[in-house]
Amino acid sequence: MNIRHQISTLLATACCLTVVSTAAVADGYRDTSVVMTVEEDLDLSQYLGTWYEIARFPNNFEMGCEGVTAQYSARDDDRIDVVNRCYREGLNGPLDTAEGVARVAGPGRLEVNFVSWLRLLPFTWGDYWVLDVDAEYEVAVVGTPNGKQGWILARAPEISADKLTEAKSVLRKNGYDIGALEMVPQN
């Protein structure tokens, strides 16, 4: 294992442990009394591929990230490989990569884990619920039931103002306070 891979693994471990350890104390961005709706008819085969992060709610593991992408690809064991990339210190900064696995937890509901040696522990899997995806699978809205994370994703680095407004309304409908939503710079 080369030093770069070891550092990436340590960073992913630190991110996962930070998320797990702060989950009980951090305030979320949504009213958890609002029942979340998910994309019940999510077609995972259409969802696979590359997504650009258009907007997100601030979180510890993406602090300082720009140009964020997520790549989803099918595995032979019915799980999904996840590769998240971001540039630190600006769009021309160093590239960070985190590799993980997702599993289906129910219609429109996935769980993700970025630390392979902790995958046997149930509390190390994080919720990833697809709240909405447009008919063309070009824009998706993702959230977590605890409201501590949420994202607007797209197949392209930019989306129209109308698509952004629609995505924000999905977050609002699911109890999110979009006042804290931050736009993510893309190349």
Side-chain angles (χ1 to χ4, degrees), residues 13-84:
T13 302
C15 287
C16 181
L17 293 176
T18 300
V19 169
V20 170
S21 66
T22 60
V25 296
D27 290 333
Y29 298 103
R30 69 177 288 271
D31 176 354
T32 56
S33 69
V34 174
V35 177
M36 288 184 79
T37 58
V38 297
E39 187 68 41
E40 294 282 339
D41 297 324
L42 180 67
D43 181 346
L44 279 177
S45 66
Q46 288 190 68
Y47 196 78
L48 298 176
T50 300
W51 291 91
Y52 293 85
E53 189 173 280
I54 301 301
R56 68 170 171 251
F57 290 98
N59 59 64
N60 291 337
F61 53 91
E62 288 185 290
M63 194 172 297
C65 279
E66 295 182 3
V68 181
T69 60
Q71 172 73 40
Y72 305 106
S73 54
R75 296 167 40 133
D76 292 335
D77 62 0
D78 291 329
R79 291 188 176 189
I80 299 165
D81 280 324
V82 180
V83 179
N84 290 340

